[in-house]
């Protein structure tokens, strides 16, 4: 009975709407306590943080690889090694940025410090969460495009970034272009639009993706809590309704999730 009610809510309650916020509040409070209210003040901090993006001149055709880490070095190693091997783009136009949000993992931070190809390394002084962290690292972007990847996604084969850039330029309605992942269920609703990409009106995805800095300049900062869901609601409300998936018909996946699955009840 309870599970049936949860399923009904998932399908009937508008994500990001007034009723949705009421239903997820107990979950939020359980997870974050009174920091929920502190987040209102912290959001001002991140808004000021990303403000320079509004006027910055960006390097045309350049791509910033942003890696978001939270202390799990066993996954981070695989993620970085696979990116170094399979990110198929001009190295001169590729910039590496990383942020780690878990000060207690000395092993992770020692590993990050041992790498010499990152142009920007941010090690949060204390755990601040995904919303704060990605705002902080996105504020450092100086390129026309961003490739975002969390610490526990392994790229499986060569990713043709130049072709992905062309798709985004030819389809300015796309908020992002995700890589087809091994969890096919997540992409089952996407319809084939061109030889190389599909489109979906589901939530903005936090799977590895390419996007233009123009999109982020218009839509940052990221929300602090339930970041992926609330950011999706925010950009949909502003007219960015479609996400892209880079994949040819019956294409093999480009990426797989190697970390443990994290589930959030009600707001699946």
């Amino acid at each position: 009975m309870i599970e049936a009610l949860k399923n009904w809510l998932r399908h009937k309650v508008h994500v990001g709407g007034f009723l949705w916020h009421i239903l997820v509040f107990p979950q939020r409070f359980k997870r974050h306590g009174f920091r929920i209210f502190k987040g209102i003040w912290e959001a001002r901090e991140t808004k000021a943080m990303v403000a320079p993006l509004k006027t910055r001149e960006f390097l045309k055709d350049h791509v910033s690889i942003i890696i978001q880490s939270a202390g799990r070095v066993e996954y981070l190693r695989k993620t970085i090694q696979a990116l170094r091997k399979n990110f198929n783009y001009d190295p001169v136009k590729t910039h590496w940025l990383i942020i780690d949000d878990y000060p207690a993992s000395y092993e992770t931070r020692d590993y990050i410090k041992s790498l010499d190809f990152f142009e920007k390394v941010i090690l949060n002084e204390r755990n601040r969460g995904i919303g704060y962290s990605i705002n902080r690292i996105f504020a450092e972007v100086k390129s026309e495009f961003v490739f975002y990847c969390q610490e526990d996604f392994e790229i499986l084969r060569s990713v043709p970034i130049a072709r992905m850039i062309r798709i985004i330029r030819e389809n300015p309605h796309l908020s992002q272009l995700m890589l087809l992942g091994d969890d096919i269920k997540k992409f089952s609703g996407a319809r084939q639009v061109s030889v190389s990409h599909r489109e979906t009106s589901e939530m903005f995805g936090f799977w590895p993706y390419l996007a233009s800095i123009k999109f982020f300049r218009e839509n940052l900062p990221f929300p602090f809590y339930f970041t992926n869901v609330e950011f999706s609601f925010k950009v949909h409300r502003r007219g960015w309704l479609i996400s892209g998936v880079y994949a040819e018909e019956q294409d093999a996946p480009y990426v797989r999730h190697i970390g443990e699955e994290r589930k959030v009840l009600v707001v699946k």
Side-chain angles (χ1 to χ4, degrees):
M1 180 66 181
I2 294 177
E3 193 60 36
L5 179 60
K6 287 180 180 178
N7 289 332
W8 183 87
L9 288 172
R10 289 189 184 106
H11 289 93
K12 297 296 182 181
V13 177
H14 178 59
V15 175
F18 179 72
L19 181 57
W20 179 86
H21 280 281
I22 292 176
L23 289 171
V24 301
F25 181 80
Q27 242 183 103
R28 284 178 167 183
F29 191 79
K30 182 179 179 180
R31 178 178 294 184
H32 304 291
F34 286 101
R35 283 194 63 205
I36 291 176
F37 305 107
K38 186 180 179 183
I40 297 173
W41 174 259
E42 290 177 330
R44 297 181 182 178
E45 180 184 355
T46 54
K47 188 174 182 180
M49 191 185 299
V50 300
L53 294 176
K54 301 288 186 182
T55 56
R56 182 175 295 162
E57 292 290 328
F58 296 98
L59 297 169
K60 186 174 176 56
D61 298 327
H62 286 231
V63 179
S64 292
I65 299 173
I66 288 182
I67 300 175
Q68 180 224 330
S69 168
R72 301 184 294 176
V73 69
E74 68 276 17
Y75 299 137
L76 182 62
R77 288 182 190 274
K78 291 181 179 180
T79 295
I80 290 178
Q81 288 168 2
L83 270 170
R84 295 274 287 173
K85 177 182 178 182
N86 293 311
F87 196 85
N88 183 6
Y89 198 61
D90 184 353
V92 175
K93 296 181 178 180
T94 302
H95 310 268
W96 291 77
L97 297 80
I98 188 169
I99 186 165
D100 182 71
D101 191 41
Y102 201 76
S105 179
Y106 300 110
E107 185 180 5
T108 300
R109 299 211 160 176
D110 287 344
Y111 169 65
I112 292 172
K113 291 174 184 177
S114 74
L115 304 174
D116 61 3
F117 51 85
F118 281 103
E119 296 181 21
K120 187 67 179 182
V121 174
I122 298 177
L123 306 175
N124 285 345
E125 300 80 9
R126 59 185 176 87
N127 179 251
R128 301 295 298 267
I130 182 176
Y132 173 90
S133 296
I134 52 180
N135 279 314
R136 187 174 182 185
I137 195 69
F138 267 78
E140 301 294 333
V141 171
K142 297 178 175 63
S143 60
E144 184 183 6
F145 293 94
V146 173
F147 184 87
Y148 171 82
C149 185
Q150 294 181 3
E151 67 188 352
D152 56 351
F153 285 90
E154 183 180 15
I155 305 299
L156 301 173
R157 57 197 180 99
S158 179
V159 178
I161 298 298
R163 195 179 305 166
M164 293 177 71
I165 288 175
R166 186 165 64 249
I167 290 172
I168 290 177
R169 284 182 170 151
E170 292 173 353
N171 298 272
H173 62 286
L174 295 179
S175 59
Q176 62 179 160
L177 190 58
M178 294 180 283
L179 292 178
L180 180 68
D182 61 338
D183 188 348
I184 301 301
K185 291 181 180 178
K186 290 183 180 292
F187 305 96
S188 60
R191 64 185 184 90
Q192 200 75 33
V193 174
S194 74
V195 173
S196 300
H197 88 284
R198 307 173 187 176
E199 293 186 357
T200 175
S201 58
E202 298 295 325
M203 295 193 303
F204 184 92
F206 278 69
W207 281 70
Y209 65 79
L210 184 76
S212 72
I213 197 64
K214 176 181 180 293
F215 166 77
F216 289 112
R217 187 162 55 182
E218 294 179 11
N219 291 290
L220 291 185
F222 290 101
F224 264 65
Y225 302 107
F226 289 85
T227 303
N228 59 333
V229 176
E230 293 209 20
F231 188 69
S232 296
F233 173 65
K234 176 181 178 179
V235 299
H236 280 202
R237 186 177 55 192
R238 293 182 176 186
W240 295 88
L241 303 176
I242 307 297
S243 290
V245 180
Y246 183 79
E248 297 180 5
E249 290 190 77
Q250 300 181 347
D251 211 352
Y254 279 90
V255 63
R256 67 182 168 199
H257 188 205
I258 57 176
E260 75 275 10
E261 184 69 19
R262 297 166 179 169
K263 293 184 181 294
V264 179
L265 298 176
V266 180
V267 286
K268 171 77 171 169

